[in-house]
C-alpha cells in the first residue's frame, strides 16, 4: 500500500466502516441509562433484555437507579474547570484525552 497508485485504497477502509455502521446502528438498542432518564424504567428494562438477558435485567436496572440517585448520571452543564475538578470523571477524562492524543500521533 506504499505505492502512489495504491494509497487511494487507504481511504476506502473508513468509508466501508462508516457504511457498516450506518447499516447496523438502527438495529442497536438505545442506552439503558438514557432510556431510564428519558422514557422510564420499563423501556430501559426492555433495552437491557435485548443486550443481556431477562435474568440480569432487574440487577442492571438497580445499578442504573443507584447511579441516578447518587447523582453520577445527572451532572448537567459543566464548565471545563468543573470537568477537571470532578473526581468521579477524572479517570474517564484522562482515558478520553489519551486516546485522542494517540490517534493524532498515529
Amino acid at each position: 500500500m506504499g505505492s502512489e497508485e495504491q494509497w487511494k485504497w487507504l481511504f476506502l477502509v473508513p468509508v466501508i466502516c462508516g457504511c457498516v455502521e450506518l447499516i447496523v446502528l438502527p438495529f442497536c438498542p438505545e442506552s439503558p441509562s438514557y432510556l431510564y432518564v428519558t422514557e422510564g424504567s420499563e423501556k430501559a428494562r426492555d433495552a437491557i433484555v435485548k443486550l443481556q438477558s431477562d435474568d440480569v435485567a432487574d440487577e442492571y436496572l438497580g445499578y442504573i437507579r443507584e447511579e441516578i440517585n447518587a447523582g453520577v448520571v445527572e451532572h448537567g452543564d459543566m464548565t471545563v474547570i468543573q470537568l477537571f475538578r470532578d473526581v468521579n470523571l477524572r479517570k474517564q477524562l484522562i482515558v478520553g484525552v489519551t486516546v485522542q492524543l494517540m490517534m493524532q500521533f498515529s
Side-chain angles (χ1 to χ4, degrees):
M1 293 269 172
S3 69
E4 289 185 26
E5 294 83 26
Q6 294 181 345
W7 70 270
K8 297 172 190 157
W9 290 103
L10 290 175
F11 290 110
L12 189 60
V13 172
V15 170
I16 292 172
C17 291
C19 290
V20 168
E21 185 177 343
L22 284 174
I23 292 169
V24 172
L25 199 56
F27 299 105
C28 296
E30 291 284 342
S31 163
S33 299
Y34 172 77
L35 288 174
Y36 187 87
V37 171
T38 58
E39 298 186 27
S41 62
E42 192 57 41
K43 292 275 189 176
R45 189 177 192 293
D46 293 342
I48 293 170
V49 169
K50 280 184 185 177
L51 292 170
Q52 297 287 325
S53 69
D54 197 29
D55 301 334
V56 296
D58 292 325
E59 181 181 354
Y60 277 90
L61 205 57
Y63 292 146
I64 293 170
R65 193 174 295 117
E66 287 176 16
E67 285 179 357
I68 291 173
N69 290 340
V72 174
V73 173
E74 193 69 37
H75 283 290
D77 291 338
M78 296 179 76
T79 65
V80 175
I81 302 292
Q82 290 172 333
L83 183 64
F84 280 104
R85 288 184 182 160
D86 192 345
V87 178
N88 295 325
L89 297 176
R90 192 165 293 150
K91 185 191 285 186
Q92 292 90 332
L93 181 66
I94 291 170
V95 168
V97 169
T98 304
V99 167
Q100 289 296 320
L101 285 174
M102 297 308 281
M103 286 189 334
Q104 291 298 319
F105 292 130
S106 63

